[in-house]
Amino acid sequence: TPSRFDFHNTEFVKRSWASLMAMARPWIVTSIVLVQLSWCSLSLDSCQDTLMKENYINDIVNPQYKLSEESSRELLASECRQQFLNEGWCLLPNFLQQKNVKAMANELNKKLDHVFQTGWRHDIFLDNAEENATFPAGYTSVGSIANDYLSHDNPLMLLYNYTPFRDFLSRVILGEPRLLYPLEDHIGACTVNVYKGGDNHFWHFDESPFSVTLMLQTPEQGGEFEAISSVRTGIREVSPASLLGNIPSTTRLTEKDDPAPPGTQTLPFDVGTLSVFAGRETLHRVKKVVGTRRRLVAVMCFSDKPGVRNSEETRLRFWGRAK
């Protein structure tokens, strides 16, 4: 009879291993089942979250804009891309359902105590006018609600982080389905510009090559968005004389609302409209707001690279804090 510890005996090893597996099999099976159930649960939760988000987005966005359907999204983006290239902007009226726009505006009107008001005299490159007198200059006054005052389940934030929406924007702006990234900026990623009575934004080019905005509430009067397209074909490298030559009646870029320079277009930026705008190439302004009802515009900032945030100077200028 072999020793119980005789591992050189093949039959003994086989019998011992079979006995051990017989005792362990129920535990192994149970563990595998638990792991599978756990993965299924996680997958189901993920699917449920995705489905809930899809349903919520479909309730926010007008049904005519089928963002969740890839083929419809591609077709819409192709049409918008052409307008964006030809005119410097693309407007999608009634992009948001009116019932939801009103709810968003009502919520934001309760957060007006969080508005940071800024005002400064600048030239058309947004530089302080005292530093560069070559270009026309004027005064801007505007308020803003920072991103960290918006809840994560706010419809704006859900739309901002919605992958098909960012895919659509990428196709319009970049001409390809390269995903745009939300800014990693808890202050300036997705914010709301607030124009009270008397506020305006003087003629300027944006620092960013494009902007994505949503009109949530229009004022009683004023606040029109005006633009002169195809003015700037370079960035800062273009000479002042060359740039001034491209701007119709540059001397008429004054702080007065009227008359507007030749070539100026007033964009139909109505409540619920989505605007994709080439702000670094297109000279534009917001005329003075009149009345007590605020002009509320959501501003969504994206980047073609991850990990981007606004500069400290920008944060201090528009939200009064860097952190």
Side-chain angles (χ1 to χ4, degrees):
T1 303
S3 167
R4 60 186 298 184
F5 299 108
D6 185 4
F7 292 104
H8 296 286
N9 187 297
T10 304
E11 290 301 321
F12 168 76
V13 172
K14 287 182 178 179
R15 288 198 302 270
S16 299
W17 179 251
S19 177
L20 180 63
M21 288 301 296
M23 291 187 293
R25 184 176 292 111
W27 295 99
I28 294 173
V29 172
T30 301
S31 298
I32 293 174
V33 170
L34 288 174
V35 169
Q36 289 178 334
L37 287 174
S38 177
W39 278 107
C40 287
S41 177
L42 289 172
S43 178
L44 182 60
D45 287 345
S46 177
C47 290
Q48 287 178 335
D49 288 344
T50 301
L51 184 59
M52 288 176 63
K53 182 177 288 188
E54 291 277 2
N55 290 337
Y56 197 47
I57 293 295
N58 289 336
D59 191 49
I60 296 171
V61 177
N62 196 307
Q64 73 183 84
Y65 302 112
K66 301 176 181 178
L67 294 182
S68 60
E69 298 180 9
E70 186 173 0
S71 59
S72 298
R73 187 168 69 243
E74 289 180 2
L75 179 60
L76 177 63
S78 177
E79 296 172 354
C80 292
R81 172 72 175 167
Q82 289 305 311
Q83 184 184 4
F84 182 74
L85 292 175
N86 293 338
E87 301 181 21
W89 56 76
C90 173
L91 300 178
L92 279 69
N94 292 314
F95 183 78
L96 298 178
Q97 296 192 47
Q98 292 301 311
K99 62 178 182 179
N100 293 301
V101 177
K102 291 180 180 178
M104 293 182 204
N106 289 338
E107 179 183 346
L108 292 169
N109 281 315
K110 296 176 182 178
K111 296 179 181 288
L112 295 180
D113 54 334
H114 295 305
V115 171
F116 177 78
Q117 191 75 22
T118 187
W120 82 108
R121 185 174 177 79
H122 61 81
D123 65 14
I124 55 177
F125 287 111
L126 296 177
D127 290 333
N128 292 333
E130 294 77 12
E131 298 176 5
N132 188 345
T134 303
F135 299 103
Y139 192 80
T140 284
S141 176
V142 60
S144 184
I145 300 175
N147 177 254
D148 51 7
Y149 289 123
L150 303 178
S151 59
H152 290 292
D153 59 352
N154 182 289
L156 284 177
M157 295 306 300
L158 291 175
L159 181 61
Y160 178 69
N161 290 296
Y162 185 48
T163 300
F165 177 59
R166 291 185 283 126
D167 173 76
F168 164 73
L169 293 175
S170 176
R171 294 173 186 272
V172 174
I173 297 166
L174 305 176
E176 57 181 334
R178 184 175 57 182
L179 192 63
L180 292 175
Y181 296 90
L183 260 60
E184 292 188 12
D185 187 340
H186 69 283
I187 296 178
C190 177
T191 61
V192 179
N193 282 349
V194 181
Y195 290 80
K196 66 181 187 306
D199 284 353
N200 74 295
H201 205 314
F202 182 71
W203 291 103
H204 64 285
F205 296 104
D206 291 339
E207 295 180 355
S208 172
F210 63 87
S211 63
V212 179
T213 56
L214 283 163
M215 177 61 77
L216 303 178
Q217 180 175 283
T218 53
E220 293 155 355
Q221 288 183 297
E224 296 91 349
F225 188 81
E226 294 186 336
I228 305 174
S229 65
S230 303
V231 172
R232 187 182 181 191
T233 55
I235 307 179
R236 178 76 64 170
E237 290 76 10
V238 67
S239 68
S242 174
L243 180 59
L244 292 177
N246 288 338
I247 302 176
S249 302
T250 304
T251 55
R252 295 173 63 183
L253 292 181
T254 68
E255 294 180 84
K256 295 181 180 180
D257 281 346
D258 297 305
T264 299
Q265 298 186 56
T266 300
L267 306 191
F269 203 16
D270 301 318
V271 171
T273 297
L274 171 70
S275 167
V276 184
F277 189 75
R280 193 163 64 183
E281 307 295 326
T282 308
L283 194 62
H284 56 286
R285 71 168 174 178
V286 176
K287 296 174 70 174
K288 186 175 294 185
V289 167
V290 178
T292 58
R293 189 170 66 231
R294 267 75 166 180
R295 181 183 189 268
L296 303 177
V297 180
V299 181
M300 298 179 168
C301 296
F302 300 94
S303 174
D304 59 355
K305 297 178 293 185
V308 175
R309 65 178 60 191
N310 286 300
S311 66
E312 182 173 321
E313 180 182 1
T314 297
R315 289 180 170 194
L316 290 172
R317 168 73 72 188
F318 290 100
W319 302 289
R321 54 195 170 98
K323 298 180 180 180

